[in-house]
């Protein structure tokens, strides 16, 4: 759908938009360094400081809370060489169902907040990723003493709406799919710089409509340090997803009784990050808070909610949309409200036909707590082209 102008420097692609979300977006769009405008994505909903689903171009400044505390959070999708028929044949031949595969995935990848790997030697591909991150930290002077267990965090999922899924596309090809970010180490980095930005604005007597819109100014030591540590955390998140995907692929191949998972394509993308881009004729710092890169021809992944379809997409390069697209379904109800409205029985009904861990702790992730992904994708039709539509047959979540 074409955008709606909802403020002097604010365009919206959201047909489902709460007043609280719009109010946050208007505050963000009124900051003095916005150029050319803020773009509100179809899945936008209220967040910390800035609404989730906001694309924010800034000149000479970055707002750490707008980037968010899960720096580099995003998606990875891998298409395998298998089909639904291969999976069904394997189950028929062995009598080993998807429940066994789910439990193997849960053993291979630590789930839930605070759960890390016991050591870093369990998988042959882990050492190279740790070495890359160590070298990057040393080269950029990134202090990681606040997170002595960051190496053990690599290859762990986390909780909330992070998940791992086995999916089928429109032709019944099998995909491996997961959502996660920079874990505890990224959160520590983000929280530190949010405080630094708030202190810097207070010292300069900057009047803010919301203290979580505090910013760091380009050309200062604080800004430079944040960008270096942000870059490191974004790389950690990217490699964290790759690490988990390689483990998932190995576990799936073992379950299928084959040497590997026959990977044919891979898309790994952030949806909470900042980088320099050209927009409105100028180079700006572009923050995608709950949004993906949708430059022309760029592949991205837009997940639905637990129990609904997800999408592999290709960007259209929409300039008004700041070459961005939504990052998912977007919440309709808070976790507390979802638990009040829905029950474990409701979740079971919504997950019919999908292998998952049946637990009341996931009620706040029920699809009904999220916006309709079909509506979100329809709103985004001028931003992306759908390449593949995926439906899950297995779901793994942390608490």
């Amino acid at each position: 759908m074409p955008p709606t102008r909802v403020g002097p420097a604010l365009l919206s692609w959201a047909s489902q938009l709460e007043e609280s979300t719009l109010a946050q977006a208007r505050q963000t769009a009124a900051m003095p360094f916005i150029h050319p405008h803020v773009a509100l994505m179809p899945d936008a909903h209220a967040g910390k400081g800035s609404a989730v689903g906001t694309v924010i171009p800034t000149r000479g400044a970055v707002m750490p809370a707008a980037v968010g505390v899960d720096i580099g959070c995003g998606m990875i999708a891998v298409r395998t060489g298998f089909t639904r028929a291969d999976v069904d044949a394997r189950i028929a031949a062995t009598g080993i169902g998807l429940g066994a595969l789910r439990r193997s995935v849960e053993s291979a990848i630590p789930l839930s907040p605070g759960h890390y790997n016991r050591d870093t030697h369990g998988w042959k591909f882990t050492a190279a990723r740790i070495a890359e991150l160590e070298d990057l930290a040393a080269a950029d002077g990134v202090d990681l003493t606040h997170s002595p267990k960051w190496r053990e965090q690599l290859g762990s999922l986390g909780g909330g709406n992070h998940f791992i899924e086995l999916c089928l596309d429109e032709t019944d090809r099998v995909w491996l799919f997961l959502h996660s970010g920079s874990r505890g180490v990224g959160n520590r980095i983000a929280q530190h710089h949010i405080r630094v930005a708030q202190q810097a604005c207070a010292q300069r007597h900057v009047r803010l409509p919301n203290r979580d819109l505090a910013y760091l100014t380009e050309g200062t030591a604080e800004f430079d340090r944040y960008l270096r540590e942000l870059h490191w955390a974004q790389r950690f998140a990217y490699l964290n997803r790759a690490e988990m995907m390689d483990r998932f692929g190995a576990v799936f191949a073992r379950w299928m009784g084959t040497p590997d998972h026959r990977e044919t394509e891979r898309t790994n993308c952030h949806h909470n990050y900042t980088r320099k881009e050209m927009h409105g004729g100028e180079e700006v710092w572009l923050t995608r808070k709950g949004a993906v890169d949708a430059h022309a021809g760029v592949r991205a992944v837009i997940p639905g909610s637990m129990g609904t379809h997800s999408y592999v997409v290709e960007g259209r390069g929409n300039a008004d949309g700041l070459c961005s697209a939504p990052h998912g379904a977007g919440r309709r109800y808070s976790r507390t409200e979802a638990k009040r409205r829905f029950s474990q029985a409701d979740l079971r009904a919504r997950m019919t036909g999908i292998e998952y861990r049946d637990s009341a702790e996931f009620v706040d992730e029920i699809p009904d707590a999220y916006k309709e992904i079909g509506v979100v994708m329809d709103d985004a039709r001028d931003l992306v082209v759908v390449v593949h539509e995926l439906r899950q047959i297995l779901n793994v979540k942390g608490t």
Side-chain angles (χ1 to χ4, degrees):
M1 67 177 238
T4 301
R5 184 168 290 279
V6 290
L10 179 60
L11 298 180
S12 172
W13 276 259
S15 63
Q16 310 171 90
L17 191 59
E18 298 77 22
E19 185 54 43
S20 58
T21 306
L22 184 56
Q24 280 193 318
R26 283 176 170 148
Q27 283 187 343
T28 302
M31 296 298 285
F33 38 70
I34 297 295
H35 174 81
H37 58 262
V38 166
L40 203 55
M41 295 290 101
D43 58 335
H45 61 92
K48 181 179 175 64
S50 299
V52 178
T54 309
V55 185
I56 309 165
T58 54
R59 289 186 286 204
V62 171
M63 298 176 285
V67 179
V69 295
D70 195 359
I71 297 169
C73 186
M75 301 294 308
I76 184 170
V78 162
R79 194 178 102 186
T80 75
F82 295 99
T83 67
R84 176 62 187 262
D86 297 323
V87 170
D88 290 344
R90 180 66 177 170
I91 293 172
T94 64
I96 301 173
L98 291 176
L101 175 59
R102 174 180 58 78
R103 290 187 289 274
S104 293
V105 173
E106 291 170 346
S107 295
I109 298 172
L111 311 175
S112 304
H115 289 207
Y116 309 145
N117 297 282
R118 286 190 293 272
D119 58 55
T120 61
H121 311 300
W123 301 84
K124 63 182 180 181
F125 37 72
T126 309
R129 292 181 174 124
I130 289 175
E132 178 185 337
L133 290 165
E134 288 174 337
D135 291 346
L136 181 60
D140 285 354
V142 176
D143 181 7
L144 297 170
T145 56
H146 51 69
S147 300
K149 290 284 190 179
W150 70 262
R151 296 170 183 83
E152 287 80 7
Q153 291 174 25
L154 188 73
S156 62
L157 184 70
N161 61 356
H162 293 165
F163 64 82
I164 303 166
E165 290 183 336
L166 188 72
C167 298
L168 305 174
D169 70 12
E170 65 282 350
T171 61
D172 273 356
R173 290 171 296 190
V174 175
W175 289 69
L176 313 180
F177 198 67
L178 66 86
H179 172 210
S180 192
S182 54
R183 305 294 287 110
V185 62
N187 184 286
R188 290 284 183 90
I189 288 170
Q191 296 285 7
H192 169 78
H193 290 288
I194 289 169
R195 290 192 298 271
V196 170
Q198 290 170 344
Q199 291 164 3
C201 285
Q203 288 168 1
R204 298 197 309 272
H205 305 289
V206 175
R207 298 184 66 180
L208 296 167
N210 183 321
R211 70 191 304 263
D212 283 322
L213 293 177
Y215 56 89
L216 298 171
T217 304
E218 195 166 4
T220 64
E222 293 85 359
F223 181 94
D224 291 344
R225 181 182 173 193
Y226 175 57
L227 265 293
R228 290 194 303 270
E229 297 195 356
L230 179 74
H231 177 237
W232 187 92
Q234 288 173 183
R235 189 60 183 164
F236 179 96
Y238 185 95
L239 293 176
N240 187 44
R241 288 191 293 275
E243 175 76 16
M244 286 186 285
M245 181 55 72
D246 288 348
R247 296 185 191 185
F248 187 13
V251 168
F252 176 66
R254 187 163 60 243
W255 182 82
M256 287 294 299
T258 58
D260 60 60
H261 58 286
R262 304 175 189 171
E263 181 173 330
T264 61
E265 67 177 87
R266 175 179 292 217
T267 301
N268 189 347
C269 62
H270 295 320
H271 53 225
N272 284 355
Y273 69 111
T274 291
R275 72 179 184 195
K276 275 192 172 180
E277 292 187 9
M278 289 293 298
H279 293 282
E282 294 187 27
E283 190 173 58
V284 297
W285 291 102
L286 192 76
T287 295
R288 291 185 174 98
K289 180 173 184 171
V292 296
D293 182 359
H295 277 84
V298 172
R299 287 280 176 104
V301 182
I302 302 177
S305 53
M306 185 179 184
T308 62
H309 289 199
S310 297
Y311 300 85
V312 179
V313 300
E314 196 169 275
R316 291 186 181 273
N318 187 308
D320 286 341
L322 304 175
C323 297
S324 302
H327 81 312
R331 291 199 75 92
R332 177 192 298 171
Y333 301 120
S334 69
R335 296 189 181 280
T336 300
E337 181 63 14
K339 288 178 178 178
R340 188 186 72 80
R341 285 174 175 263
F342 305 109
S343 67
Q344 187 175 0
D346 294 327
L347 178 59
R348 285 175 184 154
R350 292 296 254 122
M351 296 296 285
T352 300
I354 301 169
E355 170 61 39
Y356 79 110
R357 183 154 39 99
D358 183 12
S359 173
E361 65 189 338
F362 302 136
V363 168
D364 58 353
E365 282 293 298
I366 190 171
D368 307 77
Y370 286 83
K371 297 179 179 180
E372 290 286 345
I373 188 62
V375 175
V376 169
M377 296 307 297
D378 189 52
D379 288 350
R381 64 185 179 272
D382 291 338
L383 305 175
V384 291
V385 176
V386 173
V387 180
H388 297 294
E389 184 172 347
L390 310 181
R391 64 193 188 280
Q392 64 276 81
I393 55 175
L394 177 151
N395 173 277
V396 173
K397 291 184 71 67
T399 53

